[in-house]
Amino acid sequence: MSVVIVGGNERMEAQYESICREHGCKAKIFTKENGSLRKKLGTPDLLILFISTVSHKMALSVTQEARRGSIPVARVHTSSASALRAVLREHSAAAS
């Protein structure tokens, strides 16, 4: 399963990546908006949006792009490791 994470803390990027690997997911992580994310998103199986640490503009552009590509979006309020684990557990169980 491929996952795109938008938002979160820069210091936790490596931890996000290792958590995704634990759940058998390949992850792209964007903590900041470096240019247009539209071209960088690709077609993941799930888009995780950390609401509390992402700008409104970035959240809107990412959700519009996800809607265009019919990509499911998981909106998470906190950008903690346990919140990421919970989302991945929930969506990996739903995919099975």
Side-chain angles (χ1 to χ4, degrees), residues 5-86:
I5 298 174
V6 178
N9 298 317
E10 281 184 75
R11 291 185 209 133
M12 291 186 64
E13 279 188 47
Q15 192 173 0
Y16 294 151
E17 203 164 325
S18 69
I19 290 169
C20 289
R21 263 189 262 117
E22 288 172 14
H23 290 287
C25 300
K26 185 177 179 182
K28 283 185 187 177
I29 303 165
F30 301 102
T31 54
K32 292 184 192 174
E33 188 170 13
N34 301 357
S36 175
L37 287 179
R38 178 179 289 176
K39 298 172 186 171
K40 298 175 187 175
L41 283 181
T43 54
D45 298 317
L46 175 65
L47 184 123
I48 300 172
L49 186 60
F50 288 133
I51 299 286
S52 63
T53 55
V54 71
S55 71
H56 188 70
K57 177 186 169 190
M58 190 171 170
L60 279 175
S61 69
V62 167
T63 53
Q64 285 175 351
E65 194 59 35
R67 197 176 302 128
R68 255 187 234 122
S70 63
I71 300 165
V73 178
R75 290 172 179 82
V76 184
H77 289 282
T78 63
S79 55
S80 65
S82 60
L84 177 60
R85 281 190 183 96

